Each structure stands twice: as C-alpha cells, then as structure tokens.
Amino acid sequence: NAGVTQTPKFQVLKTGQSMTLQCAQDMNHEYMSWYRQDPGMGLRLIHYSVGAGITDQGEVPNGYNVSRSTTEDFPLRLLSAAPSQTSVYFCASSYSTRANVLTFGAGSRLTVL
Amino acid sequence: RKEVEQDPGPFNVPEGATVAFNCTYSNSASQSFFWYRQDCRKEPKLLMSVYSSGNEDGRFTAQLNRASQYISLLIRDSKLSDSATYLCVVNTNAGKSTFGDGTTLTVKP
C-alpha cells in the first residue's frame, strides 16, 4: 500500500515554463487536495476535489490548474511558472469530506528561477 | 484576519516540561478539528483529532471550546523527540481544511 505518491520530488524551472506535479493515491479516497507551503508558514490550499470529475478552488488557485479524471489521480499544472511559485507542494487525500483526516504525500520542492 | 491563528512561538523548553499551544478559528461553521505534527522538511502527519469533550493520547491532551472557537494542545513530560512544528487544522463540512501557520517546539536536554 503506497499511500499518496507525489512526483517529482525536486524540480527547477525557468520563468514561463509549464509543468505538471503528479499525485496518485491507492486508498480509494474520495477527497484529494493540493497545498503549498512557503518558509515559516502553514499550508495554503490551492485546489481540491471531492470526487472524480469535481474540482474546486482553494485559497490560492491563481496560476494553477487541476483535473480529476479518475479517483486515483489529481495532477497539478503550473501554466506559466513564476518565481512566486517557488515553494514546497503537498498533495493530500482523505476517505471522505466528512472524515477529513488527511494523508499527505512526501512533497515536491519546486524552484522557479 | 486569518481563519486559523496559532501561538507564534517558537517554544524552547527543557525535557520533562509541560507546554501548551493555543489556536483560534474564525469560521463558526467549522465541523472538525485536528492537530498535525510536521518534522523539518517533511509532510505533516496527524497527531490527534480534537473532540468537544476533550481527548487524551498518552502525554498529549487536546481541548476544544466551540463557544470561544478555541483549540488547545497540552504536552506533558516533553521528550527530545517531541521537537517539531505543530499545526492546528480546522475543517468545514465541505471538506476544506484550513491550516494555522504552526508553532515550533524545541525540547532541549
């Protein structure tokens, strides 16, 4: 049982490049979400999904897109990377929105030059 | 004002000390409450859920006061291994989890 798997673990981009952070869970969780964490700060919600085909914006959605075509996968796309998007990104999932104990991936550290 | 606010810290305590962290939240529709622990540069992990009646897990006690919109975490007999950042998390029924900025604890020998 792998839990929540994020790839890549590290990535360096140039301003204006696009990329996709991958997130997959094998626990049949309904709910998946993406957070970013900047130094000395808590986690801020970017986008979340309560089930396949359903996504919604969190606190800081600008510059990011998501889709949820399957229960297992929830990729995060950076459309045109900016230095302000340098951060650590965490994907998290939970069984349902009501029992929302989150299981996190190990994180993806992104640097935008 | 942030939706979830925590003691700024950092807390530096000797081994064996008792330390308490506080957290307030602004959304009165919040339904569930948690404390997560985050070690340096790693992912957060659930420490404990917080119930209205208060709950205890070994050396850790969590309390919730819905009227005051206040959550607390008490750690007794601190160990070196308790050194970490503690995150207060508040959920709405729609599934949105909001994190506080975290309080850093360092336990010294």
Side-chain angles (χ1 to χ4, degrees):
Chain A
N1 214 357
V4 178
T5 303
Q6 284 184 238
T7 56
K9 285 192 173 6
F10 301 94
Q11 182 72 50
V12 179
L13 289 178
K14 294 182 180 176
T15 296
Q17 286 185 315
S18 62
M19 77 157 298
T20 300
L21 298 177
Q22 301 291 346
C23 177
Q25 53 89 10
D26 62 359
M27 299 173 284
N28 200 31
H29 281 177
E30 261 184 12
Y31 177 90
M32 296 186 75
S33 54
W34 276 102
Y35 290 85
R36 61 176 288 173
Q37 186 174 33
D38 300 314
M41 295 183 68
L43 281 74
R44 291 184 292 169
L45 183 64
I46 304 171
H47 286 285
Y48 65 100
S49 168
V50 299
I54 306 167
T55 63
D56 207 346
Q57 295 183 349
E59 183 186 353
V60 288
N62 293 340
Y64 307 95
N65 268 0
V66 291
S67 59
R68 184 99 181 267
S69 55
T70 66
T71 301
E72 295 77 21
D73 299 299
F74 192 45
L76 178 73
R77 295 182 190 84
L78 281 71
L79 308 172
S80 176
S84 60
Q85 293 178 304
T86 294
S87 191
V88 179
Y89 292 84
F90 289 102
C91 179
S93 71
S94 71
Y95 181 69
S96 73
T97 56
R98 295 185 67 84
N100 206 7
V101 173
L102 296 169
T103 300
F104 282 86
S108 298
R109 189 172 297 274
L110 176 67
T111 301
V112 183
L113 303 175
Chain B
R1 186 190 166 193
K2 291 185 178 179
E3 276 195 55
V4 178
E5 297 207 55
Q6 291 187 238
D7 282 341
F11 285 70
N12 297 299
V13 302
E15 269 187 295
T18 295
V19 60
F21 304 140
N22 300 318
C23 173
T24 57
Y25 61 96
S26 60
N27 186 348
S28 59
S30 299
Q31 294 291 321
S32 53
F33 310 89
F34 306 91
W35 284 100
Y36 281 72
R37 171 190 169 130
Q38 185 174 29
D39 292 294
C40 188
R41 301 168 83 86
K42 296 201 168 179
E43 72 273 25
K45 293 185 178 177
L46 178 70
L47 178 67
M48 58 196 304
S49 303
V50 187
Y51 304 115
S52 297
S53 54
N55 48 299
E56 194 172 300
D57 182 3
R59 298 180 293 107
F60 298 84
T61 302
Q63 298 274 358
L64 167 64
N65 184 322
R66 283 188 185 269
S68 302
Q69 295 182 195
Y70 168 94
I71 304 158
S72 65
L73 176 69
L74 182 77
I75 305 175
R76 290 182 301 278
D77 189 22
S78 300
K79 311 289 184 195
L80 296 176
S81 57
D82 293 334
S83 297
T85 297
Y86 292 84
L87 301 165
C88 174
V89 181
V90 174
N91 294 345
T92 64
N93 235 12
K96 185 181 162 190
S97 298
T98 303
F99 284 72
D101 284 348
T103 302
T104 298
L105 171 66
T106 301
V107 181
K108 300 190 172 179

